Amino acid sequence: MDNIDRELLALLQADATQSYAALGEAVGLSSGATHERVRKLRRRGVIRRTSVDVDPAAVGKGVAAFVMLDASAWMGGEETAAALAALPWIEEAHIVAGAASLMVKVRTSSPEDLQAVLRRLHEVPGVTSTQTVVVLETFFERPLDPRGDSPRDQERPS
Amino acid sequence: MDNIDRELLALLQADATQSYAALGEAVGLSSGATHERVRKLRRRGVIRRTSVDVDPAAVGKGVAAFVMLDASAWMGGEETAAALAALPWIEEAHIVAGAASLMVKVRTSSPEDLQAVLRRLHEVPGVTSTQTVVVLETFFERPLDPRGDSPRDQERPS
DNA sequence: CGTGAAAGATTGTGCTT
DNA sequence: AAGCACAATCTTTCACG
């Protein structure tokens, strides 16, 4: 994982339809060498998959919300994960430390559907209460920058 | 936007490296017709881009957290968005309704770096307090299902 | 929406450093 | 090991029906 790999990841995040020739030119490598590096990034699991980014509003998921769930007893990890994964309106689910036990991100077509999903979340075994934060406007959602510097450094040189 | 389009979106989300011939076979269309549909989905903005999904831990972003920000005065949208976007450890930023004004998702390499990012968030003009929820374990993060049914329907037929 | 041909990309082999 | 250059194969992309 050198700087060329990180640069390739950033370029592929921005546009994965580019040819290896174009990618190679951007990082100063031949098409073949570039392809070989990307193949290794895939095999090592650094690149998990190539995907398309779909506009949520265009597929009837224009309403987003974060829901914090409290659990009474300790919820079996596997079991809870499966119950949440079965609800297709849940985009992410995490175990968290803080006020709540679980944090999930939900997308629905309307506030009414959001309410229906909340009702279903209350039916998940172990869930005792929910606290919902509705998204009014999204500033941005973007891929992580692989060229990571540390926030403890003074000023980032652009 | 018919069911074939939605099916194509789901297939492309799962693997955007497939050939149009393979996609076409899966939905019962020729390679040419499939390509035309996908081209239109791109042009209409339903598909925003093709990207690679990178393992956060592999690029030094193994720690995730959600931070809720409170604002004193009303924060100018554009200005705040720019200040947050300038911090590369912030993956998402939303205006929210509820206990807080803003919700952001942060990824860093360590708890120490998370603390440094929180310090920087306090320096954003208008921010008065932060409440942080640290992710201990991620169950899943997945693309939305474009074949959206409503949660108000009885039982989902698989 | 399908077919077929031209243009272009991907993937493999051999060779060099 | 890693990269380059050339060649074979497959895909995309453009006609036209």
Side-chain angles (χ1 to χ4, degrees), chain B residues 5 21 23 35 63 67 84 89 96 108 115 119 132 137 142:
Chain B
D5 281 339
L23 284 172
H35 182 267
V63 174
V67 183
L84 296 174
W89 308 277
V96 295
T108 59
Q115 197 186 349
R119 204 158 30 233
T132 304
E137 182 188 338
R142 63 186 179 192

Side-chain angles (χ1 to χ4, degrees), chain B residues 35 39-40 48 51 59 77 90 92 94 96 103 141 144:
Chain B
H35 182 267
R39 199 187 61 78
K40 281 178 185 163
R48 293 201 277 219
S51 183
V59 293
I90 301 189
E92 309 177 13
H94 312 268
V96 295
M103 164 91 83
E141 291 173 310
L144 324 142

Side-chain angles (χ1 to χ4, degrees), chain A residues 65-69 96-100 102-104 131-135, chain B residues 65-71 75 84 90 92-106 114 118 121-122 126-134:
Chain A
F66 294 93
V67 183
M68 287 166 278
L69 303 172
V96 295
L102 250 43
M103 165 90 83
V104 305
Q131 192 188 338
T132 304
V133 176
V134 177
V135 173
Chain B
F66 294 93
V67 183
M68 287 166 278
L69 303 172
D70 268 332
M75 311 160 85
L84 296 174
I90 301 189
E92 309 177 13
H94 312 268
I95 298 181
V96 295
S101 317
L102 250 43
M103 164 91 83
V104 305
K105 187 175 178 183
V106 175
L114 174 57
L118 289 175
L121 283 172
H122 277 286
V127 171
T128 57
S129 73
T130 63
Q131 192 187 337
T132 304
V133 176
V134 178

Side-chain angles (χ1 to χ4, degrees), chain A residues 11 43 45 69 71 95 100 107 116 158:
Chain A
L11 290 166
R43 200 172 40 77
L69 303 172
I95 298 182
R107 286 193 194 266
S158 98

Side-chain angles (χ1 to χ4, degrees), chain A residues 55-79:
Chain A
D55 177 16
V59 293
K61 298 275 165 58
V63 173
F66 294 93
V67 183
M68 287 166 278
L69 303 172
D70 268 330
S72 56
W74 178 237
M75 311 159 87
E78 283 297 318
E79 200 178 340

